[in-house]
Amino acid sequence: MISPANWQRLKNLAEEVSQQAGCKLYDMEFISGRTLRVYIDRQDRNIGIDDCSNVSKGLNDILDTEDLIPGGAYELEVSSPGLERVLKEAWHFSTALNKTVRLTLKEAVTPAKGENAPTKSVTGELVQATDSDVHVHESSREWILKLDNVVKARVVFAEKTGKKNPKKR
């Protein structure tokens, strides 16, 4: 596995390469042990295949000369974080304002406004985000949630009903 020092160096390099391509590093992860997945984003427009290609080429060139990944063999994937993007960092939440989000919490909370029993899962519109908490509106309830209580968070593009689309005739 990659050492914490090499992971930080790799992250710094990915940030530099992304910035040179006019993008911002959104997140990185190792999956299946040997695949490095890099997520990039842009503020001015959606990520395109050229953005992914430019970051991939730049990062591959560096990784071919730097010995940051033990064993040397790896696969690199570069993509957009997608519509239902994961929210991990405080700044991720700021980019998702006025969107529907789903949050899973460590400890159950009750809403700041509105009646409801304590819950460990909140879905609603993200209306405010700071470095320490987020404000989510759900129907008549308002939630003020500490980020250190959030285990998992993502943007919800469309609710899944579990029903199949009817066949067109």
Side-chain angles (χ1 to χ4, degrees), residues 105 107-122 138 141 143:
L105 309 169
E107 297 177 18
V109 295
T110 55
K113 287 184 182 176
E115 292 184 31
N116 202 12
T119 184
K120 290 178 95 174
S121 177
V122 174
E138 173 199 17
R141 295 179 288 258
W143 304 88

Side-chain angles (χ1 to χ4, degrees), residues 30 50-51 58 73 80 83 88 98-99 123 147-149 161 165 169:
F30 263 110
D50 289 338
D51 298 313
S80 155
L83 292 174
K88 292 181 182 175
N98 304 314
K99 295 181 180 168
T123 301
L147 286 179
D148 60 6
N149 190 29
T161 62
N165 290 334
R169 297 176 191 218

Side-chain angles (χ1 to χ4, degrees), residues 26-27 81-82 84-89 92 152-155:
Y26 187 84
D27 198 11
E84 293 200 345
R85 59 191 56 204
V86 172
L87 307 170
K88 292 181 182 175
E89 308 288 335
H92 290 172
K152 191 162 67 168
R154 75 172 41 250
V155 172

Side-chain angles (χ1 to χ4, degrees), residues 134-147:
V134 293
H135 297 233
V136 177
H137 285 186
E138 173 199 17
S139 300
S140 61
R141 295 179 288 258
E142 180 181 324
W143 304 88
I144 300 172
L145 307 166
K146 294 290 180 196
L147 286 179

Side-chain angles (χ1 to χ4, degrees), residues 50-67:
D50 289 338
D51 298 313
C52 294
S53 177
N54 291 337
V55 171
S56 180
K57 286 177 187 171
L59 201 50
N60 256 328
D61 288 346
I62 291 170
L63 290 174
D64 286 347
T65 59
E66 299 268 341
D67 189 24

Side-chain angles (χ1 to χ4, degrees), residues 13-25 38 40 55:
L13 291 169
E15 285 174 343
E16 288 176 26
V17 170
S18 297
Q19 190 173 29
Q20 290 169 359
C23 303
K24 180 175 176 101
L25 177 66
V38 175
I40 56 173
V55 171

